Amino acid sequence: EDNPELFELYEQLVGAFTNRNFEVDRASKFHMTVARKLSFRSAEAKSDFLARGEAVVEAWREQYPDGVLLTPDEREVTLGHVSQEEVDNPGGVYLFLGRNNVRRYFPPTLT
């Protein structure tokens, strides 16, 4: 591995958040997004990218000046799609085992 520290962290996360009754297929690693470096072909490409990103963020700030709190529908609890904790304490952070497989929900702790 070209980054042993990152690979070690990956192995720790696999161990911590994998279902103990499920064998992890090491050939098909579970999804984990980590950005190590962002590079551009030119200074102009970087400037264009950042300007487009800033325009999108500014549009969101205008459209949602106080942010957006996504709240699940209470009916989803009976269907097993969300937990009661998610309905009672929306706005937390999700830890995913796979793209559509929520491993754990961490409710917000800031008030």
Side-chain angles (χ1 to χ4, degrees):
E1 301 297 327
D2 67 341
N3 188 335
E5 292 83 9
L6 184 60
F7 186 73
E8 182 180 335
L9 174 62
Y10 168 83
E11 290 296 327
Q12 290 174 6
L13 290 170
V14 169
F17 300 109
T18 300
N19 183 333
R20 302 289 187 238
N21 298 318
F22 175 76
E23 183 63 33
V24 173
D25 179 5
R26 299 290 178 173
S28 174
K29 306 209 186 251
F30 71 91
H31 178 77
M32 186 167 71
T33 303
V34 176
R36 293 185 354 195
K37 181 180 178 183
L38 184 61
S39 61
F40 299 90
R41 294 179 189 236
S42 69
E44 182 180 357
K46 178 180 179 179
S47 179
D48 290 347
F49 174 83
L50 294 175
R52 286 192 316 269
E54 184 60 36
V56 170
V57 170
E58 187 55 38
W60 289 341
R61 286 181 180 144
E62 288 176 17
Q63 188 173 5
Y64 308 105
D66 297 320
V68 176
L69 178 62
L70 302 177
T71 56
D73 187 325
E74 177 109 25
R75 295 173 292 186
E76 295 293 312
V77 174
T78 58
L79 298 172
H81 297 160
V82 298
S83 69
Q84 188 63 49
E85 181 178 36
E86 292 170 84
V87 172
D88 295 341
N89 299 299
V93 175
Y94 292 91
L95 177 65
F96 289 84
L97 183 60
R99 181 176 293 179
N100 295 315
N101 187 354
V102 175
R103 175 70 174 150
R104 186 166 175 198
Y105 175 72
F106 297 90
T109 57
L110 301 175
T111 55

